[in-house]
Structure formats: structure tokens, C-alpha cells
Amino acid sequence: MPPADTGAPATTGAAPRTAAAPRTAAAATDTPAGTAVGTAPSARRINLALFVLGLATFALLYATQALLPALSADFGVTPARAAWTVSGATLALAVSVLPLSILSERFGRRRVMTVSVLVAVAVGLLLPLTPNMDTLIVLRVLQGAAIAGVPASAMAYLAEESRPRALVGAVGLFVAGNSIGGMSGRVLTGWAADLWGWRTALLTVALMALACALLYRLLLPAPRNFSPAPLRPRVLLATVRGHLATPLLRRLYVLGMVFMSVFGAVYTVVGYRLIDDFGLSQTLVGAVFVIYLVGTVSSAGAGRIVARLGRRGALHLAIGTTLLGLLLTLNASLGAVVAGLVLVTAGFFAGHATASGSVSGTATSGRAQASALYQVACYVGSSAGSTLAALAYHLVGWGGAVALCSAALCVAAGVTLLGSRAAVRETTSVRETATG
């Protein structure tokens, strides 16, 4: 889920550019011999390449989410146990983003992205062969760690290789690939599982991702503006400490974690609810993820909401919308549940877009690391939310999962209120200083 899978403004884990030696043939580690460095690469090729890359990686990342009921039935495990096939992957991604961003500074964005997606596809091709749940979880953890190389490098590649006027559109297409990939992977697995079983469903997603990965590699031009930088983890750690010491950034990270925990929780266990309480097929459960398209609209409109209500007003509106949707899913009517999921999705994407967009605007330096930390917080939240909600559903039922998510949203509301109070204190202090 996701920013990558979320439809929210994209972030990057790339480390800050350091002083680097002038570009030379020896230094051009990612540029093939004979490439004219001065020739601008095709913007269309770059955009399409990263669109299909986002589609491949996020279809792989959430491939098992729509299959959790089938996995529980086949392996005889609880929802909480099956949920680790999702939360293990997202947690591994969160842990791996920063280290891989450092490697992309040294070895090149394109190289890191290529290795990452090919390793993730290779693991995906092994998933249908897994004999037990433990093996499946381990492979999913490895897959999540591999996928982390894409968000760690993609935005840095676009910033370096795209013309400034074309950058916003390029980022938007990459985000669209993330969102559509996350949605299509879930829909495809639900449909294929109904026809041939979950193993064939995972194989289908892996083959689709392989085709996208090969197309990406054929399309993506060699970088013209990348200069390798020395590995400087101390500089990175100092930047990270500085961001974590900033109160507003800390609040934004908590908000991202909470929003993503709620979203991950709902979509991890809703398949069980739809099958257990309404008797839906795997195909129909997978089709529910088409609701993600609502999030694409609400995230795109987040900027207008912020312009009208301010950042904190937009966050309160997003929290309230998400909470209303959660409560609506408690209804025994399938139509009410679907309507509730629409509200949850719209509220999440609007809130996530507002919080993630505020991170780059708040950080005065090291914006890449600030955004990377937001990604880490989000995927940690997604992992925790998925695991805890699956446990709550196993012990209490859907009401338990809703109660857990509602409590998390109360935390988000409290954090936003703290931000409002801090803003009032700061404004008062400035006025007192100005008046002497």
C-alpha cells in the first residue's frame, strides 16, 4: 500500500547528492560505451519505463493480499499467520529503503532498480512452489527487501534525468504505475485463484511482472547526469537524526504510519469478511480492490482541499471520512460495506497525500531522506496494521478490526490537534516578539 501503491505523491529514499568527481568514461558506471551524454533521453521512454516498473513491483508487493483466505484454508493457518505474507514483505521494504538509497548513490539508480525488480520477479516465480507457510513468509520477506530498491532510486533517477517542466508529469505516471500495479495484482490474483488456485495466481502475477521488468529495461535510457558518490553512511545518519529531531516531521511520520496501518489493516482482513459473511468468491474479493481508483481521485484533489482548509483541516477531514467509512462497514448490508470501503479509501489517500506532501515542504535540507523516513514509517505502519488487524479478526471478528483501526485514527486526530496547538503557540510567540 501505498505511497508506491497508494497514489499519493511519490517520495524517494535517495541520499543527498554529495560533491562528486566530474563525469568521466570510467565514472559513468551506468552508461554504455558509445552513448552520447549530451543527447537528452526521450521523456516518453523514461515515463513509460518507470510506469511499467511501478506496475511490476507493486503488483508483486501486494500479490498475496487478496489470497489470504485461500492461503489460510490451504495451509490450515489463522488469518494472523497468513497476514505475515503481506506484513513481512512491507516490513522488509521499510527496513531496506535507506540502505538501498545509499547503494544507488554509488552504483547508479538504473542498476539498483534493475537488480531489485529482477530479484523480486525471481522470488515471485518461486512462490508457487512453496511447500508450507513458513517458506512462503521467508520468500515474501526477501521479495519485499528486493522491491525496496525501486522507491529508493526511481524518484532520484527522474529528478536527475527529466527536464524540470516534465518532472511533475513523470512522477505522476510513476505513482499511477504504483497504484495500478497494486490494484491489478490483487484483482488478477483473485480472478486466477478462483479458476486455478492460489499457486497459479501467484505465478500469473510473477509472469506479468517479468514482462513489465523486461519492457522497463529495454525502454529506460542510460543515465546522462548521474555521477557516483562515495558511500558516506555517517552523513546519512546525521541527516536522519536531524529530521527525527524536528517536531513537525515527527508528527507527519506518525500520521503516515497511522494512516497506512489503518489502510493495510482494512484491506488485509476485508477478504475474510466478504467470504465469511457474504459468501463472495475469490474473483469478487479481488474485484473489490478496484475501489483503489477512488483513492487516485482523492489524492489528486488533496492539494485543493489543503488550499481551502489548510493542512490540518485537510487531515481532520481525511480522518473523519476514514472513520465514517469504518463505522459503515459494520453494517450487515454488502452495499453498506462497499460504500464504507469507498470512504475509507478516499479518506486514506487524501490524508496520506496531505501528510507526504507536507514532508518535502517541511524539510529545509535532506529532503530525500525526509521522504525516505516517511516511507519507512508508512510501511512499518502497514506491516503492524495488517498483523494486528488479522489477529483481532481471528479473536473477535470484523468488529475487533474496526475497533483497532478506530483507535488508531483517534491517535491521528490527537497528533493533528497537537500540531494545531503548536502552530498557535508559534504564531503567538512571533507576534509577541514583533511587538517587543
Side-chain angles (χ1 to χ4, degrees):
M1 254 181 309
D5 168 49
T6 60
T11 55
T12 173
R17 301 311 309 264
T18 57
R23 185 81 169 165
T24 65
T29 58
D30 232 10
T31 305
T35 299
V37 173
T39 304
S42 166
R44 289 184 179 179
R45 287 183 60 192
I46 290 176
N47 292 349
L48 181 57
L50 290 187
F51 174 84
V52 296
L53 177 65
L55 195 155
T57 52
F58 285 89
L60 290 171
L61 181 62
Y62 290 103
T64 62
Q65 193 169 51
L67 300 174
L68 295 182
L71 294 175
S72 290
D74 195 30
F75 289 121
V77 298
T78 65
R81 181 70 170 157
W84 270 104
T85 64
V86 177
S87 56
T90 54
L91 184 60
L93 189 153
V95 171
S96 304
V97 164
L98 283 174
L100 288 177
S101 74
I102 300 175
L103 293 181
S104 78
E105 286 289 312
R106 178 66 183 86
F107 298 108
R109 321 297 188 191
R110 190 176 72 159
R111 180 172 296 176
V112 170
M113 289 189 292
T114 300
V115 172
S116 292
V117 70
L118 290 179
V119 171
V121 168
V123 175
L125 292 171
L126 293 176
L127 293 180
L129 306 176
T130 51
N132 53 57
M133 180 58 71
D134 289 339
T135 304
L136 182 59
I137 291 173
V138 169
L139 288 176
R140 288 285 292 158
V141 168
L142 294 175
Q143 194 174 41
I147 288 171
V150 174
S153 308
M155 290 303 102
Y157 178 93
L158 286 175
E160 292 164 355
E161 305 301 327
S162 299
R163 292 187 296 273
R165 289 185 178 181
L167 181 58
V168 173
V171 169
L173 279 176
F174 178 66
V175 170
N178 296 348
S179 180
I180 294 173
M183 180 192 71
S184 61
R186 294 163 166 107
V187 173
L188 183 60
T189 53
W191 170 74
D194 243 2
L195 293 176
W196 304 296
W198 68 265
R199 295 181 187 273
T200 303
L202 290 179
L203 177 62
T204 303
V205 170
L207 291 175
M208 181 196 75
L210 175 60
C212 289
L214 294 176
L215 180 59
Y216 141 79
R217 193 61 180 83
L218 288 172
L219 287 172
L220 193 69
R224 271 49 172 200
N225 302 312
F226 172 77
S227 295
L231 299 176
R232 302 177 65 184
R234 289 185 180 180
V235 174
L236 176 67
L237 290 175
T239 303
V240 168
R241 283 196 297 268
H243 291 325
L244 293 177
T246 304
L248 177 53
L249 284 177
R250 284 202 306 267
R251 290 195 294 270
L252 291 172
Y253 295 153
V254 171
L255 286 172
M257 182 181 295
V258 171
F259 272 120
M260 198 70 166
S261 70
V262 172
F263 193 65
V266 168
Y267 276 100
T268 294
V269 298
V270 72
Y272 290 99
R273 171 92 193 280
L274 295 175
I275 289 175
D276 293 344
D277 294 348
F278 300 102
L280 268 61
S281 66
Q282 278 289 163
T283 298
L284 291 176
V285 168
V288 166
F289 290 95
V290 173
I291 293 174
Y292 267 41
L293 296 176
V294 173
T296 303
V297 175
S298 68
S299 61
R304 292 190 295 273
I305 298 173
V306 171
R308 175 166 295 189
L309 302 179
R311 182 179 64 233
R312 287 177 292 276
L315 288 171
H316 282 303
L317 178 62
I319 293 167
T321 301
T322 307
L323 181 59
L324 178 61
L326 280 172
L327 297 177
L328 197 55
T329 63
L330 291 171
N331 196 287
S333 164
L334 178 60
V337 172
V338 172
L341 290 175
V342 168
L343 290 177
V344 168
T345 304
F348 160 74
F349 274 96
H352 183 52
T354 301
S356 63
S358 300
V359 169
S360 295
T362 300
T364 56
S365 62
R367 287 187 174 91
Q369 282 65 50
S371 296
L373 286 171
Y374 183 83
Q375 281 192 352
V376 170
C378 285
Y379 285 111
V380 168
S382 177
S383 179
S386 299
T387 303
L388 294 175
L391 180 61
Y393 183 83
H394 176 64
L395 296 176
V396 183
W398 180 251
V402 169
L404 180 70
C405 293
S406 299
L409 288 173
C410 289
V411 172
V415 169
T416 306
L417 286 173
L418 285 176
S420 299
R421 294 183 61 184
V424 170
R425 287 196 301 268
E426 182 177 346
T427 301
T428 303
S429 177
V430 170
R431 287 177 179 172
E432 290 175 349
T433 301
T435 57

